[in-house]
Amino acid sequence: MLEMIDVCKTFNPGTVNEKVALDRLSLRLEEGDFVTVIGGNGAGKSTCLNAVAGSFAVDSGKILLGGVDITHMPAHVRAKYLGRVFQDPMMGTAPDMWIEENLALAARRGKKRGLKWSISERERAEYRELLAPLGLGLENRLQTKVGLLSGGQRQALTLVMATLKKPQLLLLDEHTAALDPKTAAVVLELSDRVVQEHSLTTMMVTHNMRDALAHGNRLIMMDEGRVKLDVRGEEKKKLTVRDLLEVFEI
Amino acid sequence: MNAISSFTASLPGACAQGLIWGIMALGVFLTFRVLNTSDLTVDGSIATGGAACIMLIRSGVPAWTAALAAACCGMLAGLVTGLLHTRCRIPAILSGILTQLALYSVNLRIMGSKANQPVSVDKYSLMLSQRYVRAAGLSNPIPLLVMIISALIGLAYYFFGTEIGCAVRATGNNRVMARAQGIDTDRATILGLIVANGLVAFSGALLSQYQGFADVNMGRGAIVIGLAAVIIGEVVFGKLLALNFALRMSSVVFGAIVYYIVLQLVLALGLNTNDLKLISAVIVAAFLTLPNMKGGDRDA
Ligand SMILES: Nc1ncnc2c1ncn2[C@@H]1O[C@H](COP(=O)(O)OP(=O)(O)OP(=O)(O)O)[C@@H](O)[C@H]1O
Ligand SMILES: [Mg+2]
């Protein structure tokens, strides 16, 4: 599904700020994998997700998605394969545009955009149905600017946008980190639901070890730009926070 | 004449000028508010519009065709700035300054190496002229300008409601999000700059016909007037902003008219035309300060 082969990325090479963020990182995700990613600050988790999304050019190595080599594909082109939710609730939505306009933008991810009106009445009805189960009342506020929503509401909306057109891979980068515990739990539960509903291949970065253990079928720990621990299936189910902390210490 | 009567006598002219510069301000609104960048190409592209239009009319091209061709020249200028900014990764402000500088030479070439080229309303059939600004009837430029602006705002309103238009708005609003939604933000930026400078050059074409000549320096400080219009519009008609995009654009045009009326008022009070630039800067600074003085935050 996703294959990263010996991917390297050094920021500010040749300067005092030189930082090896990805060090020959290799990783292979199977179709339907829901991988939780943990690791200390600066371990390279975000850099790994950003490399897949194409936020920057990697120095060397290869990235394949569904058999397609996307290593050199511009970010906006590979966006058609990817759904993304960021840590910062401000990042995933256009604040001055309406909820429905944001959704309509997401609905056209990977499609050619033309001079057709940006949203149809039929879509509006669809969006209402899509938002209603969130229980946030967003379905009645389609023409509200997203900038007026709370962080949690925005993350929920971003999640809906990321999965509106079924992505091949869903990238969640600490997407509940900025939310209060209750809202975080709601958004996390929602993430679980959409991932299962569409059986999405997913990478979810989190600092919460309990969440990392409770969700997904596979867990990766990163350290210094490489995979330090990779457990899946039954083995992962047996894992405890204490086990993780032990590995963390090494 | 006393100050009051000279002021009232200048009102129609101020309205016409405000309307013409209002079209230019729509272009500035597009880059400044919709694309969220500062485009300084406009000082050059407005003169390009004027120069191209006047030279085409002088060579026998009908005024309307000349004005549309002038708009296309402005679009080309916008394209250049867009390419410098997105492909060469030069910061937006600098890209605009570079194009503006280059346009000075281009504009002189267009005008046959003369700094100024006249077009007489007696010899050519122009779209509008200052001469009739106080006349009753169809020759008066104001109704024509109002019609043109309504059409432009209508078109722009439609365009920014389409899929492509929304992509441009999203690009200006949140680049990261736009790219994550598969929008080619570079192309959207270029498109925005093209449309904006097309409007600016079209306004230059109207302005040169209105005043009866094109001048290589006619764009000096244009960006300030454009920004003034945008900001005055937002300050004075701010309550309408929440309503919709078309009203926001209308408020920009009203902002330009207010600007010219205030300018006439200041002139009527005895300051002379050499002080115009100083006065402009003061007016803009004043209106830029105003929203900050109210104390509330305007981020929402
Ligand atoms: N754009 C950048 N420019 C320079 N250095 C960067 C950049 N992005 C990341 N880095 C560096 O690369 C390293 C890995 O960063 P990354 O953001 O991937 O860590 P992370 O695992 O996501 O950490 P966190 O848990 O704090 O989010 C860090 O040392 C960081 O300083
Ligand atoms: Mg991170």
Side-chain angles (χ1 to χ4, degrees), chain A residues 2 29 48-50 52-53 82-86 162 167 169-173 175 201-205:
Chain A
L2 173 74
L29 261 59
C48 169
L49 263 55
N50 290 338
V52 174
L82 303 171
R84 294 186 81 185
V85 184
F86 306 87
L169 178 64
L170 179 62
L171 300 172
L172 310 172
D173 190 355
H175 67 308
T201 313
T202 305
M203 284 178 93
M204 178 174 93
V205 177

Side-chain angles (χ1 to χ4, degrees), chain B residues 238-300:
Chain B
K239 294 221 166 54
L240 305 177
L241 293 193
L243 288 179
N244 75 31
F245 200 68
L247 282 175
R248 281 182 77 183
M249 288 188 285
S250 311
S251 78
V252 168
V253 177
F254 282 117
I257 297 173
V258 170
Y259 173 87
Y260 271 94
I261 291 177
V262 172
L263 204 65
Q264 291 303 336
L265 193 64
V266 177
L267 288 176
L269 292 177
L271 286 157
N272 73 46
T273 46
N274 291 335
D275 300 327
L276 269 183
K277 297 274 192 260
L278 175 64
I279 297 166
S280 305
V282 171
I283 293 178
V284 174
F287 274 99
L288 275 170
T289 314
L290 217 61
N292 308 329
M293 302 283 283
K294 283 181 188 162
D297 78 44
R298 303 201 323 135
D299 291 348

Side-chain angles (χ1 to χ4, degrees), chain A residues 41-58:
Chain A
N41 292 118
K45 307 177 296 292
S46 299
T47 309
C48 169
L49 263 55
N50 290 338
V52 174
S55 309
F56 48 74
V58 298

